[in-house]
Amino acid sequence: FWYFPETHGITFRIQVSVKELLDTDVLLKLLFHLPVNYPSTLPDISVNSDQLTRAQCMDVKDKLLEQAKKHLSEPMIHDLILWIQQHLKYFIKQSATVCNEKTALSKGTSAEDGIWMLLLHLDHMRAKAKYVKTVEKWASDLRLTGRLMFMGKIILILLQGDRSNIKEYLILQKTSKVDVDSSGKKCKEKMISVLCETKVQSQHKRFQTFEVKEYSTMDELQKEFETAGLTSLFSECVPPLLK
């Protein structure tokens, strides 16, 4: 990389080579302008690549800025570069999926093919409002449907969607600073359990949206699972959480 001192901060030009879906290299040309009061102020970011469309470059820029907001007031450039190296594959695949969606359906490909389901158990949420907002955004960005469910001290996340997006969600859940610790400092989720990860079956009802719901009794929670054709999943996974 190169850097150029300026009156109003520093500009970094960084080239990052990323392995894409088909094992071809994508060369990203990133420009970070760090204002004088960085990291208390977000950097300006520019993204260019000969292998990506202008729309894809703009998408990468927007995602980097979203990540930068999570690291406000702390050095972030190294983390942003690592993050885009890990996640660029998803952006490219998402663009390809959108472009090819109608073609796939016109060939008779079932929209249900490859739909998977994930059930997660969280131990707690200290910064509940922020945590919930983050989960909602991830579900929206990855086109996942399902429920974030609260019943007493039980917290469950039930997701349905493309298997690769389910995997991507798990990466975000485990690597992002989504909560705060006992001292109020941002921290990653360490108390998470994958209760189930399986392909959606014909008897399972597909959720059309992602919703956050609270239940006052175990019976209410059980009915949610039963309505979705997930009675056995409830019986196997939820009652043991009360022990």
Side-chain angles (χ1 to χ4, degrees):
F1 63 86
W2 304 269
Y3 68 93
F4 302 91
E6 296 180 356
T7 305
H8 300 292
I10 296 177
T11 296
F12 286 84
R13 297 184 186 278
I14 303 172
Q15 294 191 14
V16 181
S17 181
V18 183
K19 279 288 183 185
E20 202 253 305
L21 287 171
L22 300 177
D23 291 328
T24 58
D25 288 334
V26 172
L27 186 64
L28 284 182
K29 300 173 184 177
L30 307 176
L31 185 146
F32 296 92
H33 174 69
L34 312 185
V36 175
N37 51 352
Y38 167 85
S40 297
T41 300
L42 293 176
D44 291 323
I45 302 175
S46 175
V47 179
N48 288 288
S49 175
D50 294 336
Q51 289 84 28
L52 301 182
T53 65
R54 182 176 178 81
Q56 287 174 322
C57 287
M58 290 297 294
D59 191 25
V60 170
K61 174 184 174 180
D62 291 342
K63 298 299 183 184
L64 281 171
L65 286 172
E66 287 178 14
Q67 288 300 309
K69 291 176 182 177
K70 299 177 182 179
H71 296 279
L72 197 60
S73 298
E74 60 186 53
M76 66 184 76
I77 301 302
H78 181 65
D79 287 337
L80 293 179
I81 293 171
L82 290 179
W83 187 87
I84 198 60
Q85 286 178 315
Q86 294 171 357
H87 294 82
L88 180 66
K89 184 182 296 186
Y90 161 69
F91 300 136
I92 296 175
K93 182 176 181 182
Q94 182 184 48
S95 298
T97 300
V98 172
C99 291
N100 295 327
E101 190 175 42
K102 291 184 179 180
T103 303
L105 290 174
S106 67
K107 291 180 180 179
T109 302
S110 171
E112 300 296 321
D113 287 352
I115 301 301
W116 280 64
M117 177 171 59
L118 177 71
L119 181 63
L120 302 174
H121 173 243
L122 302 182
D123 185 73
H124 62 270
M125 287 184 181
R126 286 195 174 93
K128 183 177 177 179
K130 178 180 178 297
Y131 205 132
V132 169
K133 187 175 180 180
T134 299
V135 171
E136 288 180 311
K137 186 177 189 316
W138 288 343
S140 175
D141 289 347
L142 294 168
R143 303 188 303 283
L144 300 175
T145 60
R147 299 286 186 267
L148 170 52
M149 301 175 280
F150 296 92
M151 203 296 295
K153 293 184 178 181
I154 294 177
I155 305 172
L156 300 171
I157 301 177
L158 179 60
L159 298 169
Q160 292 178 344
D162 183 84
R163 191 179 189 185
S164 63
N165 290 354
I166 290 281
K167 296 290 187 184
E168 180 68 21
Y169 179 92
L170 268 176
I171 292 173
L172 289 170
Q173 183 77 64
K174 293 178 179 179
T175 62
S176 303
K177 292 182 179 180
V178 291
D179 207 1
V180 297
D181 59 22
S182 56
S183 63
K185 185 178 180 181
K186 293 179 182 178
C187 66
K188 297 177 182 178
E189 178 59 71
K190 297 179 180 178
M191 305 284 285
I192 185 172
S193 302
V194 178
L195 302 181
C196 176
E197 185 177 357
T198 184
K199 190 171 183 178
V200 170
Q201 304 300 318
S202 58
Q203 70 269 26
H204 300 151
K205 176 185 174 182
R206 286 291 310 281
F207 291 107
Q208 299 303 309
T209 59
F210 182 82
E211 299 178 22
V212 180
K213 302 185 72 172
E214 300 207 16
Y215 309 85
S216 55
T217 67
M218 185 61 78
D219 285 342
E220 289 182 8
L221 181 60
Q222 183 172 351
K223 286 179 181 178
E224 181 77 71
F225 278 78
E226 290 176 349
T227 301
L230 301 172
T231 303
S232 59
L233 178 63
F234 176 89
S235 300
E236 293 171 11
C237 299
V238 182
L241 299 176
L242 294 174
K243 297 178 180 178

